Amino acid sequence: MQLTFDSDVEEFRAEFIAFLDANLPGEDVAVERSASSADVPEWARQWQRLMFDSGWLLPANPPEFGGRNATLIQQYVHLEELSKRRIYHSFNPQGLGIIAASLLSFGTEEQKRRWAVPILRAEITAALGMSEPGAGSDLAGLRTRAVREGDEFVVDGQKVWTSGAHDADVLLTFVRTDPTAPKHKGISVLLIPTDSPGVTRRPFPSVCSPDDLDFNEVYFEGVRVPAENLIGEVNGGWSVANGSLGHERTLLWLSFADRLEDLLGDFRPHSAQDHDAFAKLIMDNQALRLLGSAALAREARNEQDVPALSILKVLGSEAIQTASEQALYSVGLEGLAHPTLSSPPSRMSLDHFSSGWFERYMRSFAGTIAGGTSEIQRTIIAERVLGLPRA
């Protein structure tokens, strides 16, 4: 067992720290905030572009795509240093972490140049069109259809919960191209510009943040999409979907651990019951970091362990939900007060740091849904870890 990093990793960390110290935008320019997860202020676009050009945006990527061919352990310390400063790579996280990554994995060289690089450089923003009114966690149940007509696909249907769609330039959209095939085998993926005729985007608020317009309903009515915008193979969308979600899963536990640690830092136990809950959450945090570190080490040795990611997803997301609930109870009625946001945060801080306790609690439910629900993760664990029958 080795609980420290090799010298090359620490040299990598030191170089990144020096970059941040020299280039991190100051408080005087970082006051403008995003209106949605696809709205990127100009100063943040410049910051993301600088990170891309310097090879620090996504260090695992090759230099032409904003990285420096970093190892997995180097990626970890890169995220660790960003977390210490509570800053984002990008204010368009799904564009950076899912859509551009999917284009680099499944797109043609022309698609990478035309779409992936502009997304990575914050020249355009992107949203993810997966969920539908009747197909949320069950992607295979989607009904938005695309029919091939010559050199185009004609798209009709509806998406929902599409974060940032009203501010995005393009949508990575999952569509049904073969209604006769088994559900998961008839899906394809199209990159659809949001200014295409027939695309309608309707933002709506969430229950935990009525003033925050990020979610969208998106309607497609006879939308014509060039066939060259097909990502991957026709009817090969299931593989793209698994790859898309996989891009956000490998180090997702680190995000959970950081958020849990911040919640614990603000937790103020009063009663004996509060102290018991606080102690349990500290143990959950330690368990999450230790299990995550072990999974990271296995992955660094090219040992694939998908069930471990499911365990980390359940543990991390549910620990945050429990911590948010316990903290809300511990502060009593004060926790129901909405924070005053007339003076927005001056740093590129994650949005939950400026939220009230009730809003933090409400937002915590998203973690047990997005990226595969806790129920789905438990099914994976039951079958692939415990060896239980599918029935």
Side-chain angles (χ1 to χ4, degrees):
M1 179 182 294
Q2 179 181 338
L3 298 179
T4 57
F5 295 107
D6 292 334
S7 59
D8 63 316
V9 175
E10 292 300 348
E11 289 172 6
F12 178 91
R13 186 199 300 272
E15 186 179 353
F16 184 45
I17 289 174
F19 169 82
L20 292 176
D21 289 344
N23 296 287
L24 193 64
E27 295 185 2
D28 55 331
V29 299
V31 293
E32 186 181 359
R33 311 302 297 169
S34 295
S36 79
S37 58
D39 172 59
V40 184
E42 182 54 37
W43 69 266
R45 289 179 186 264
Q46 294 177 11
W47 164 247
Q48 184 173 330
R49 209 163 295 149
L50 176 62
M51 293 190 77
F52 178 97
D53 292 339
S54 304
W56 289 117
L57 183 64
L58 293 171
N61 288 357
E64 62 268 29
F65 298 120
R68 50 184 62 208
N69 296 312
T71 66
L72 183 62
I73 304 299
Q74 289 172 334
Q75 294 172 58
Y76 172 85
V77 299
H78 173 263
L79 291 176
E80 194 174 50
E81 291 305 322
L82 287 176
S83 175
K84 288 178 182 178
R85 290 164 175 78
R86 299 181 175 181
I87 57 177
Y88 278 140
H89 303 67
S90 168
F91 278 108
N92 181 215
Q94 69 273 17
L96 188 72
I98 298 177
I99 297 161
S102 297
L103 288 167
L104 295 181
S105 294
F106 298 96
T108 64
E109 291 304 314
E110 195 277 335
Q111 288 170 340
K112 294 175 187 178
R113 290 191 300 272
R114 182 181 177 189
W115 302 111
V117 171
I119 292 171
L120 292 169
R121 288 179 52 79
E123 293 163 358
I124 62 174
T125 59
L128 182 64
M130 270 190 174
S131 297
E132 297 185 4
S137 296
D138 179 22
L139 177 65
L142 70 83
R143 295 182 180 179
T144 296
R145 65 185 183 276
V147 178
R148 182 73 180 257
E149 291 186 3
D151 293 332
E152 296 177 318
F153 287 94
V154 181
V155 180
D156 290 275
Q158 180 188 356
K159 299 292 180 181
V160 73
W161 313 114
T162 315
S163 298
H166 60 300
D167 287 318
D169 298 297
V170 293
L171 300 170
L172 188 72
T173 311
F174 288 75
V175 296
R176 187 161 300 286
T177 43
D178 186 353
T180 66
K183 289 198 305 182
H184 66 286
K185 292 186 177 180
I187 298 172
S188 300
V189 184
L190 296 172
L191 198 68
I192 303 179
T194 55
D195 60 0
S196 301
V199 175
T200 301
R201 296 163 286 167
R202 296 179 182 171
F204 61 90
S206 66
V207 66
C208 62
S209 185
D211 299 326
D212 176 21
L213 293 180
D214 192 35
F215 290 143
N216 279 254
E217 296 175 302
V218 182
Y219 297 89
F220 304 94
E221 299 176 273
V223 179
R224 294 190 168 272
V225 182
E228 64 189 25
N229 287 22
L230 174 72
I231 309 302
E233 302 294 329
V234 173
N235 299 326
W238 193 253
S239 296
V240 179
N242 287 331
S244 298
L245 295 177
H247 287 304
E248 65 173 356
R249 294 286 296 281
T250 302
L251 289 169
L252 182 62
W253 65 268
L254 178 59
S255 173
F256 286 139
D258 288 337
R259 288 178 61 194
L260 182 56
E261 201 156 285
D262 279 298
L263 282 166
L264 291 172
D266 290 336
F267 198 137
R268 295 294 178 266
H270 301 294
S271 66
Q273 185 178 2
D274 285 347
H275 282 282
D276 288 344
F278 187 66
K280 181 183 181 300
L281 291 168
I282 290 175
M283 288 187 286
D284 284 345
N285 185 42
Q286 290 299 318
L288 181 60
R289 289 189 178 276
L290 290 170
L291 288 170
S293 296
L296 181 71
R298 286 193 294 273
E299 179 118 359
R301 296 193 298 267
N302 294 317
E303 298 173 11
Q304 297 299 314
D305 191 355
V306 173
L309 300 182
S310 293
I311 292 170
L312 289 165
K313 171 69 162 58
V314 171
L315 174 60
S317 61
E318 294 189 358
I320 287 171
Q321 196 171 104
T322 300
S324 301
E325 181 179 21
Q326 293 292 339
L328 179 60
Y329 278 124
S330 74
V331 297
L333 291 176
E334 181 185 340
L336 299 178
H338 193 283
T340 301
L341 296 179
S342 58
S343 299
S346 59
R347 280 288 187 186
M348 294 174 287
S349 56
L350 305 180
D351 56 4
H352 68 273
F353 291 121
S354 59
S355 302
W357 280 116
F358 181 72
E359 185 175 342
R360 292 193 199 191
Y361 172 61
M362 294 296 290
R363 285 183 181 274
S364 72
F365 286 89
T368 58
I369 298 172
T373 65
S374 287
E375 291 79 5
I376 289 174
Q377 305 307 327
R378 282 187 165 85
T379 297
I380 294 171
I381 294 165
E383 294 175 359
R384 301 185 61 177
V385 178
L386 302 178
L388 299 179
R390 293 180 66 86

